[in-house]
């Protein structure tokens, strides 16, 4: 039975949410699957990917073929690297501890990159809000300045009226 690791669409129209599943290649896109390996939400920025790395590696070791998008997601979460390292352990090129050490080092580096991107996005968002607030303040100040001469004229008019009343 040919097995594929692929995405199964969920969510509503215009707001996709995917499950990452191991399924028989002959089954329907949203049909029966063998095992749910994780979830992928492209609506968030950066996209949220939850993946059972060990389960994905198990399926890859058993010959499951990932689709192109699933392959990108597996690579993003390190499942393909872990599969590669497990192959090295099997061949005797690495020990189990060395493989785990390499994988954890890569995982820390990847987490730092993703966190830096998220921080950069929040900084850009905060800067945009600050600029919008400053622009709105400038517009409000201009409106107040435009309305101020009218108020001054209104204050001068009663004073002029009082002065003319006193003269009479």
């Amino acid at each position: 039975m040919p097995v594929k690791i692929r995405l199964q669409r969920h969510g509503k129209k215009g707001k996709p949410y995917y499950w990452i599943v191991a399924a028989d290649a002959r089954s329907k896109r949203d049909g029966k699957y063998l095992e749910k390996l994780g979830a992928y939400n492209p609506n968030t920025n950066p996209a949220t990917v939850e993946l059972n790395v060990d389960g994905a590696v198990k399926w890859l070791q058993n010959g499951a073929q990932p689709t192109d998008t699933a392959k990108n997601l597996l690579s993003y979460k390190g499942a393909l690297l872990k599969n590669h390292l497990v192959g090295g352990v099997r061949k005797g090129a690495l020990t189990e501890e060395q493989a785990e050490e390499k994988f954890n080092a890569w995982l820390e580096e990847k987490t730092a990159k993703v966190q830096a991107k998220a921080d950069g996005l929040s900084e850009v968002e905060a800067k945009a809000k600050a600029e919008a607030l400053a622009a709105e303040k400038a517009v409000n100040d201009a409106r107040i300045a435009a309305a101020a001469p009218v108020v001054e004229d209104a204050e001068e008019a009663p004073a002029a009226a009082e002065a003319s009343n006193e003269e009479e």
Side-chain angles (χ1 to χ4, degrees):
M1 170 173 65
V3 176
K4 287 214 173 263
I5 297 176
R6 64 183 183 198
L7 300 181
Q8 192 177 63
R9 186 180 166 126
H10 292 274
K12 58 185 182 177
K13 195 185 329 178
K15 297 284 186 184
Y17 185 85
Y18 299 96
W19 286 357
I20 302 167
V21 298
D24 184 355
R26 297 167 292 192
S27 66
K28 296 179 182 177
R29 178 193 74 176
D30 298 337
K32 192 173 177 182
Y33 60 90
L34 301 169
E35 183 180 352
K36 180 180 173 185
L37 300 172
Y40 167 56
N41 186 1
N43 299 317
T44 60
N45 193 5
T48 308
V49 180
E50 301 161 8
L51 181 68
N52 175 3
V53 176
D54 295 327
V57 170
K58 180 190 82 167
W59 280 106
L60 289 170
Q61 292 291 314
N62 289 331
Q65 294 296 313
T67 60
D68 292 339
T69 306
K71 189 173 188 177
N72 289 338
L73 294 174
L74 293 175
S75 175
Y76 178 78
K77 292 306 272 188
L80 294 180
L81 174 66
K82 193 162 189 174
N83 183 35
H84 178 73
L85 292 172
V86 167
V89 168
R90 232 183 314 125
K91 291 179 181 176
L94 298 168
T95 64
E96 190 72 37
E97 294 80 30
Q98 289 174 329
E100 278 299 316
E101 187 178 306
K102 282 187 175 188
F103 180 72
N104 289 334
W106 179 87
L107 203 56
E108 288 175 16
E109 183 181 324
K110 182 70 172 184
T111 317
K113 283 183 184 177
V114 171
Q115 188 61 38
K117 181 179 180 184
D119 292 343
L121 288 172
S122 62
E123 276 183 27
V124 167
E125 192 174 296
K127 190 181 285 187
K129 277 187 177 180
E131 288 175 0
L133 183 64
E136 190 174 330
K137 232 178 198 177
V139 168
N140 287 342
D141 290 343
R143 286 183 184 161
I144 290 171
V150 174
V151 172
E152 290 173 6
D153 292 341
E155 291 174 0
E156 291 173 6
E162 288 176 16
S164 63
N165 287 340
E166 289 176 4
E167 292 175 2
E168 290 177 2

